[in-house]
Amino acid sequence: MEQTIDKTKPVLVTGASGYIANWIILDLLQAGYTVHGTVRDPDNQRSVGPLHKLAARAPQGRLQLFRADLLEPGSFDAAMEGCEVVLHTASPFVIRGFDDAEAALIRPAVEGTRNVLEAANRVASVQRVVLTSSVAAIYGDNADLQEIPRDCFTEEDWNFSSGVYHQPYSYSKLLAEKEAWKIHDAQSRWRLVCINPSMVCGPALTPFSQSTSIDTLRSLGTGKMWPGAPELRMAWVDVRDVAQAHLEAAFRPDANGRHIVSNGELSFLQVAQILKRHYGSGYRFPVFELPKFVVKWFGWMLDSSVKPKFVERNVGHAICFDNSRGRKRLGLEYRPLEQTFVDHFQQMIDDGLIRA
Ligand code: NAP
């Protein structure tokens, strides 16, 4: 069913300070929208400083910031007032540096989604909610591909292999998206549209994001993966294309359901080879793939998230996502991944996050 969104009404973006949200907000402002952005701490310059710069760069639109915390019921109501569209991006994307996955990932993801969507139930202006879910809600490990009846994951698939102790970030995204559909199905005013990106890369508009996206590409430039990288294939997508997908999901009259937003699968070594072509020998890029048993038994020494079960079920396994629904229904076109990685690496050099 077609649903027309009033573009003169403000648009809410939760987690405004985030890596993906920054690009969504820039696109919205450049298109002349009024954006209500939520941040946990409006006095934290690392969160709001880059947002003020975005607002200055795009004077066509207007940005207003509100304080809201995923774990505080009711804290999103004021920011949502008068909005027809809610873009819910806020959720922690960390895979290491915590002991308690429930507190670090699962509660903020699930309770946060519940709090935002219950606010949407209370605020009568809301017509559409776009949830930044993830391919992590669709699959858990690369090995899961062998257990589905198709060659590639599609929007029909749901992650069946993650849990609190194995791939807890993916588990948090699965539970959050399930919760969103449950709350959506119990009402009839607003429509839910999900964006399910793969690993997002591309230049950040803030040097302060804690997103695992930043760490992932950065680890190729800091020498952490020198001389060898795991034989790990991942699906990748540009942050600017992900932002575009959110805008399409927000304003297309017939948008609905889930959308895999992903531009192809490459191993770490292949990404390193792209960067090496552009940056030569100035950085210690990996030059070969490590044998799986080495990664399995010694990988954790370099990275606490590299557990033997993760290695067993991901390293050396193929991965594939069918992005045709997003291309067709949201009109998505992807920029070349080579440009994504090079632009991102250059931004990290410019911001001092990587040194030659
Ligand atoms: P990010 O830069 O770390 O952004 C996460 C945002 O969540 C931050 O703005 C953070 O706000 C907010 N947040 C975390 N805990 C919060 C809490 N308790 N209350 C309020 N806000 C809270 O990460 P990102 O990569 O942009 O990720 C954004 C979304 O995209 C997430 O839902 C993530 O799961 C999803 N996603 C990311 C990728 C990827 O590769 N990056 C792929 C698929 C899906 P503060 O500034 O206050 O900390």
Side-chain angles (χ1 to χ4, degrees), residues 224-269:
K224 184 175 169 184
M225 286 199 205
W226 183 86
E231 191 195 340
L232 184 58
R233 295 185 75 78
M234 290 182 42
W236 308 85
V237 63
D238 193 290
V239 66
R240 295 161 288 191
D241 296 335
V242 173
Q244 179 64 32
H246 281 78
L247 267 72
E248 300 294 344
F251 301 113
R252 284 200 174 223
D254 61 347
N256 65 48
R258 313 174 88 195
H259 304 84
I260 288 173
V261 176
S262 181
N263 185 21
E265 296 83 25
L266 290 174
S267 67
F268 275 104
L269 189 62

Side-chain angles (χ1 to χ4, degrees), residues 78-91:
M80 207 177 282
E81 211 51 61
C83 297
E84 288 201 352
V85 172
V86 172
L87 296 155
H88 178 38
T89 82
S91 202

Side-chain angles (χ1 to χ4, degrees), residues 286-298:
V287 286
F288 62 85
E289 281 180 331
L290 296 165
K292 184 166 177 171
F293 79 90
V294 173
V295 185
K296 186 168 175 181
W297 298 116
F298 304 104

